[in-house]
Amino acid sequence: MNAIISASELASELAGENPPVLLDVRWQLSLAKAAGQPPFDGRAAYEAGHIPGAVYVDLDRELASAPGPRGRHPLPDLAEFGAAMRRSGVSSRTPVVVYDGGQGWAAARAWWLLRWTGHPDVRVLDGGLPTWEGPLETSVPTPAEGDFEPAPGATGLLDADGAAALARSGVLLDARAGERYRGEVEPIDPRGGHIPGAVSAPTNKNVGDDGRFLSPAELEARFKTLGASEGTEVGVYCGSGVSGAHEVLALAVAGIPAALYVGSWSEWSSDPSRPVAVGPEPQ
């Protein structure tokens, strides 16, 4: 099953006999709140216009727990996550398509959570809402209650110790911007740098200028140069498990399974006992 879907394919499926459940997960990583300015309001953006039938999902409240020692976007309580998905109409036998405002990070977080908890058919709208050429609506639908029950997988998730070990035994990719990996700047978390042994792999290099993913062959070639290929154990982390989910999605498009360290740098850098590497080399 492909992990992504084009806007034209989505339009065709929405008009078909078995339309997917459609989730709108618009969200932005914003430093506005720290500067005393209002943060991005995903629900307001949704209510101003969304793909017909889409249900809004709040990343901070429904796809994550409250910030704390486990990071800025730790795993959600699975009972609460399941209830949120059922309210959104998600059932185990119905396909799901997720989209966001175009960056793809938030949609990928929802995709990863649903896949890790056992949903068999989840895709992300490639390029997000900007690629949609059909009408938008402002009415808020009330979907029929779904039946999805989260059943976390035995693989696909890393904790801090697992990420540290994988950086030595396999390939651990750091999906943040290169300057954060090198420790030159750190606008959010307590310390700059990266997990020792991790390889810099900024997630924005997985898409073209139009925000769509590179082809599977191009992505496979990119990850191969970073040491990640089929048959290699691969993990990903980022700042707080959001952009890292987008990298896991890109790896899936390339046909390479990967695990996600959800706590990511926001958890790792908050623990003074964890070592930190700086500079361009994994170390």
Side-chain angles (χ1 to χ4, degrees):
M1 185 194 70
N2 200 349
I4 57 176
I5 184 172
S6 70
S8 60
E9 291 170 331
L10 175 59
S12 177
E13 291 194 14
L14 288 173
E17 295 182 357
N18 186 32
V21 171
L22 196 55
L23 305 180
D24 183 314
V25 197
R26 270 178 276 184
W27 171 90
Q28 291 179 11
L29 177 62
S30 174
L31 302 180
K33 187 175 182 180
Q37 301 171 1
F40 174 78
D41 189 337
R43 181 174 291 279
Y46 165 82
E47 291 176 350
H50 50 267
I51 298 176
V55 177
Y56 178 69
V57 173
D58 189 313
L59 185 148
D60 290 319
R61 293 178 174 84
E62 295 173 317
L63 304 182
S65 298
R70 294 184 298 129
R72 282 183 280 110
H73 289 104
L75 284 174
D77 177 90
L78 290 182
E80 294 178 6
F81 170 67
M85 292 299 98
R86 291 190 292 275
R87 285 195 304 270
S88 300
V90 174
S91 290
S92 58
R93 294 177 299 279
T94 303
V96 177
V97 172
V98 191
Y99 73 89
D100 58 24
Q103 188 179 45
W105 295 4
R109 171 74 176 217
W111 167 85
W112 180 84
L113 270 170
L114 282 165
R115 293 290 293 150
W116 177 65
T117 54
H119 198 288
D121 190 351
V122 191
R123 289 163 292 169
V124 169
L125 176 58
D126 193 16
L129 186 61
T131 67
W132 178 255
E133 297 181 351
L136 299 178
E137 69 177 13
T138 57
S139 60
V140 177
T142 304
E145 182 86 1
D147 64 13
F148 179 67
E149 293 287 348
T155 60
L157 176 67
L158 293 171
D159 60 12
D161 289 341
L166 185 56
R168 302 304 182 187
S169 65
V171 176
L172 181 66
L173 301 178
D174 185 318
R176 298 172 301 156
E179 59 268 25
R180 290 185 69 193
Y181 170 88
R182 295 187 296 270
E184 297 166 358
V185 298
E186 183 43 67
I188 309 172
D189 295 314
R191 295 184 286 169
H194 58 269
I195 297 174
V199 177
S200 180
T203 197
N204 63 357
K205 301 296 185 182
N206 296 324
V207 299
D209 293 339
D210 60 359
R212 294 179 173 91
F213 279 106
L214 303 178
S215 71
E218 289 172 313
L219 288 170
E220 183 181 13
R222 183 199 181 209
F223 290 124
K224 186 176 181 179
T225 65
L226 297 170
S229 58
E230 189 175 1
T232 303
E233 190 176 4
V234 180
V236 180
Y237 76 96
C238 57
S240 64
V242 179
S243 67
H246 189 268
E247 187 119 297
V248 173
L249 175 58
L251 284 154
V253 172
I256 303 170
L260 178 65
Y261 172 26
V262 174
S264 284
W265 190 247
S266 59
E267 178 185 42
W268 184 281
S269 63
S270 297
D271 183 348
S273 72
R274 297 283 177 187
V276 169
V278 296
E281 299 300 324
Q283 300 180 33

